[in-house]
Amino acid sequence: MGPDAEVRADVTARVIEVEGRVTGDLSASERIAIRRSGVVTGDAVAPQIQIDEGCLFKGSVQMQ
């Protein structure tokens, strides 16, 4: 999801990279990366999770 993207839904994928705004839960089978410009309101579940300095994240993190 690019820096201008705005998603209001739960997202499920192999790999999720957030540069824009997401309102909803994120679930990935491999990894989630929330980049510096990313804004996430929701829970993140994945084996690997990267949360860059400067992003905004409100939710819980579960690494499986």
Side-chain angles (χ1 to χ4, degrees):
M1 293 168 236
D4 296 326
E6 186 167 333
V7 176
R8 293 175 190 227
D10 294 340
V11 179
T12 301
R14 184 176 56 83
V15 174
I16 300 171
E17 291 198 22
V18 178
E19 294 181 2
R21 183 177 294 268
V22 177
T23 302
D25 295 338
L26 305 176
S27 178
S29 58
E30 285 187 22
R31 108 183 133 81
I32 296 171
I34 304 171
R35 303 295 182 203
R36 168 175 237 141
S37 60
V39 177
V40 175
T41 303
D43 299 334
V45 179
Q48 296 180 344
I49 298 176
Q50 175 184 342
I51 302 174
D52 288 356
E53 182 178 349
C55 73
L56 297 174
F57 177 79
K58 183 177 181 181
S60 66
V61 173
Q62 182 178 348
M63 297 175 67
Q64 299 177 328

